[in-house]
Amino acid sequence: MLIIELIKNLFRRPETVKYPYETEGLNFPERLRALHIIDQESCIGCRKCARACPAYVIEMVPLTEDELEARTEKIKKKKVKPVIDLTACIFCGVCEDVCPTDCLNLTNHIVLPSGDKEELEVGD
Amino acid sequence: MISDIALFLFQSIVFPGVFFIVTLAFGSNWMYRKIYARLQRRVGPDSAGKYGFMQGFADFLKTASKEEIVPRSANQVIFRVLPIIAPVPIIVGIFFIPMMGLRGMISSPGDIYAIVFILTIVTAIEIVLGWSSGSKYSLIGASRSGMQLVSFGIPLIFSMLYPIIRAGSFNLMDIVLAQDGTNFGFLPRWNVLGLGVIAFVLFLISALAELEKPPFDTPEAETEIAGGWTLEYSGRSYAYILLMEDLKMVFVISIGVVLFLGGPLGPTFGISGWGLALLYFVYFSLKYFMVLIILTIISSGLARLKIRQIVFGSWSFLTPISIVFIILVMVLGGV
Amino acid sequence: MSKRDYTEFNLGPQHPALKEPETFRVVVEGERIVKAEAILGHTHRGIEKVAEQRDYNKALYLAERICGICSFAHNANFARAVEFVADVEVPERAQYLRVLVAELERLHSHMLWLGVLAHEIGFDTFYFLVWNDRELVMDALETLTGNRVNYGMNDIGGVRADLTPDIKGLLMRKLDELGPRLEKIKEIALKNKTVISRTKGVGVISNELARKTCVTGPTARSSGINWDLRRDQPYFAYGDLDFDVKVSTDGDVYSKITLRIEELFESMRIIQQVLEHLPEGRIKTDVRGKLDGSAVSRIEAPRGENFHYVDFRNSKEPYRMKVRAPTYANVVSSVEVLVGHYISDIPVIVAANDPCFSCTDRTLVIDRDTERYQILTAKELRKLSIETTKEEIM
């Protein structure tokens, strides 16, 4: 009966989670596709992610002088690095799938709001 | 003499006057929304003030500070002026209610006449408000509001007749006093305990219709006519309309408390003077919020009715019952 | 009948009853509707054209974004059409996983619909109760696929995410919790007097009208058309699964509520079976290179039949992509039904078909002559188009 359910509800805890002030009760599964992290140390600059991206948000940016200097043995042929523009990203995770060195990963960190557009560029 | 005037001014403006009534209105708004939300497993208002208690006030201020848009098709004078004076009749009506003592701020031999008149004039104001906005949705809302008045006016007034017959007076103080004392030593002689429960149920249903709360929110039906007669109002005008709706809630529920639940009556423990007034007020508030909670639970458990179903249900069901009930009461001589 | 008895007004494109921009122009006499028409096309985004510029792997994610609610249906349908063209065998495990997500999506879509309908009839409490329970399904989908809405589950030739024992256990727990809650929802929805009074006998789509306007999905099944692609043209792994297709003959909104609630229980059964009989094996067959040929794929989305056509001409980008979403078929019937009802019934009748105008608005616009109220025949339309083309050329 609805009326019994209603009176029960009156004494139950509300289901609302006051996000972002509270996060208790929210679930962030492992597979959640959110903020990208790029390990530029192991990225070889193969452009696979940029080519596969359905939203065309991964740009291959040429390395600066300092970065060219700092290349290690493993990535010594690297000339460009991926930079992801999260403002237009659709978070499909294809870049993660195609990455041959496993340096590009999507985490389950969903808190992305920012007042600065620069902050939403991953990889820089 | 001067102290009398000062007391009267204090009473009419601060407590239990306009200031207090408006606070009570916002408090009722908060209570209604909070309970409505909790019944639906939501939190409800919780940011403005402790537990969101200031939500009604915050809404009023925020709405009032917004830009006021007057549609070109609206009746310019009525559209601008009427919302501002709309809450006034209800505040006057609430002055009749005995909250702090057995006598209201205003008291006359014909209190009930005034109350019924104000209840009707409020709906009339709604109709004119809707009509003057010049929008089709508002017009439909206004016509629905009028139809609701026509349908629920008779059950509402007939349900109010029962306490009048029992007290033999149109004065609210007499009606309250007639409910004093106890039956069988423990049961208060409130109108609701006994045959009056039928009248009370009729009153609750009609009150929901008068307040335009679900399932009788047809004149404002958001998903059908996008807010009905309130649609075109914005800014300060809309703030006053919100205030009017909250005040209406205070007014109608208070009438129910006075007529059926013994108003401010309760065990006095031999206290007198200001202490007694305070005690009366505590009793009144307890009954008031109880009725409010009952109304909230009823309105949360039902879907909105169609205006045809409301008119049909009222004329074929509620009105005959109320008439038969009142004739019965008259024949039995006031029981 | 004099002209001043009538009032004409627009419901929409911005209206609280419509969750997406769409116009219903109705003419009323008092509160009774004497004429109604739908004006579609406010959310046209040109998705089909955009898809022609992307290779199939990217267009897959575009197809997913045709609709926010039945995103998996569009996504899987597009993938299936491309798989037909590429002529690849999708592994059995992937087929079962597709069924799993499709049915979870049906659960959440139907519960969303129930909530929306409750909101339209002013029964907000029920709306919040249903949507609260819907969160269980959303959590399950989020855990399984990685997102609440656009799941990104499909790939051409299979699925992207596998079902691990952990997630399987979680799904089982969620379903066990959902079962009793659905029973409660059923009892509240079907027994509440005001719900019955608002929906019973309202918006009756007769079998005849249903056939005439070619409605699909639950709308068709509630009008006595016994048709469900899952059973009649089994796709994915539906052929191996045991489920009933519920049919009602009343055609009113109440029968649609009953039908969808019963479909909820059937979906639960299907998910149960998938979890029990999930075959082992790979989850993806690779598809590479250019394709040639065209294919049509139809699947039963939560709202009805979903149609995708793709044409490849020795390219990776589709030469032509065509989508027909179920709402486009259903909205016509609701417009026909509106006449004779009252203003209060408009949101109920429109919402009863579970309209999703984002799905619908891609290329076509219904346009009727408002004053003379006539529907253009195919011949007239052809003539009109030739004339306008001539004008443009001149």
Side-chain angles (χ1 to χ4, degrees), chain B residues 46-105:
Chain B
D46 77 326
S47 300
K50 192 88 177 156
Y51 303 112
F53 186 76
M54 300 298 283
Q55 190 65 46
F57 187 63
D59 280 356
F60 180 80
L61 274 189
K62 168 121 191 204
T63 323
S65 67
K66 293 285 173 189
E67 185 194 358
E68 199 176 341
I69 300 163
V70 182
R72 209 171 292 164
S73 57
N75 184 319
Q76 301 295 320
V77 179
I78 298 178
F79 191 88
R80 282 165 207 264
V81 175
L82 195 58
I84 299 168
I85 55 173
V88 176
I90 312 177
I91 292 181
V92 175
I94 297 171
F95 282 161
F96 282 97
I97 307 290
M99 284 185 191
M100 312 251 335
L102 299 176
R103 180 188 283 272
M105 290 259 306

Side-chain angles (χ1 to χ4, degrees), chain A residues 31 33 51 54 92 97, chain C residues 54 58 144-145 151 160 162:
Chain A
R31 283 183 182 174
R33 301 189 299 266
R51 253 179 276 152
C92 58
D97 291 359
Chain C
R54 284 156 201 246
K58 291 178 185 173
L144 176 63
T145 67
Y151 316 112
R160 288 171 60 199
D162 203 354

Side-chain angles (χ1 to χ4, degrees), chain B residues 60-322:
Chain B
F60 180 80
L61 274 189
K62 168 121 191 204
T63 323
S65 67
K66 293 285 173 189
E67 185 194 358
E68 199 176 341
I69 300 163
V70 182
R72 209 171 292 164
S73 57
N75 184 319
Q76 301 295 320
V77 179
I78 298 178
F79 191 88
R80 282 165 207 264
V81 175
L82 195 58
I84 299 168
I85 55 173
V88 176
I90 312 177
I91 292 181
V92 175
I94 297 171
F95 282 161
F96 282 97
I97 307 290
M99 284 185 191
M100 312 251 335
L102 299 176
R103 180 188 283 272
M105 290 259 306
I106 310 172
S107 186
S108 74
D111 285 352
I112 297 282
Y113 287 123
I115 284 171
V116 169
F117 173 71
I118 288 167
L119 277 177
T120 315
I121 209 99
V122 167
T123 316
I125 287 175
E126 285 173 8
I127 295 169
V128 179
L129 282 173
W131 168 80
S132 67
S133 357
S135 151
K136 283 165 188 168
Y137 287 119
S138 301
L139 202 60
I140 293 167
S143 79
R144 283 182 177 187
S145 193
M147 258 190 274
Q148 212 150 286
L149 173 72
V150 173
S151 314
F152 281 99
I154 294 174
L156 184 70
I157 293 166
F158 273 46
S159 69
M160 286 159 77
L161 272 180
Y162 174 76
I164 296 169
I165 293 171
R166 225 182 130 195
S169 165
F170 284 98
N171 184 298
L172 282 183
M173 192 167 100
D174 293 343
I175 291 172
V176 170
L177 283 175
Q179 302 179 59
D180 201 5
T182 50
N183 284 333
F184 321 115
F186 63 96
L187 204 61
R189 291 184 66 224
W190 298 346
N191 284 326
V192 69
L193 302 169
L195 199 57
V197 73
I198 299 171
F200 185 59
V201 170
L202 285 173
F203 180 84
L204 279 186
I205 296 170
S206 317
L208 270 179
E210 182 70 33
L211 293 174
E212 295 176 1
K213 296 278 181 215
F216 302 113
D217 58 342
T218 328
E220 297 173 31
E222 189 207 335
T223 51
E224 292 162 18
I225 49 175
W229 57 269
T230 63
L231 174 65
E232 293 294 342
Y233 290 92
S234 54
R236 197 183 35 162
S237 307
Y238 189 57
Y240 278 113
I241 287 176
L242 287 179
L243 178 63
M244 176 185 129
E245 295 195 328
D246 297 344
L247 284 170
K248 201 161 74 173
M249 190 147 76
V250 176
F251 185 42
V252 174
I253 294 174
S254 301
I255 297 170
V257 170
V258 170
L259 293 186
F260 297 99
L261 295 172
L265 291 177
T268 53
F269 311 113
I271 301 168
S272 61
W274 279 102
L276 184 66
L278 202 66
L279 202 62
Y280 275 152
F281 180 67
V282 169
Y283 289 135
F284 185 87
S285 323
L286 284 178
K287 291 169 186 173
Y288 175 87
F289 286 116
M290 206 182 75
V291 176
L292 183 58
I293 292 170
I294 292 172
L295 281 184
T296 314
I297 293 177
I298 295 174
S299 71
S300 72
L302 298 168
R304 186 192 307 124
L305 293 166
K306 286 193 262 187
I307 190 71
R308 284 176 69 238
Q309 291 165 338
I310 290 174
V311 175
F312 184 79
S314 166
W315 282 102
S316 66
F317 191 66
L318 280 182
T319 311
I321 286 182
S322 60

Side-chain angles (χ1 to χ4, degrees), chain C residues 116-136:
Chain C
V116 169
L117 190 83
H119 178 60
E120 305 289 16
I121 62 173
F123 193 5
D124 281 354
T125 306
F126 185 55
Y127 156 57
F128 281 108
L129 293 181
V130 174
W131 278 36
N132 185 17
D133 297 347
R134 175 173 169 266
E135 281 306 305
L136 287 173

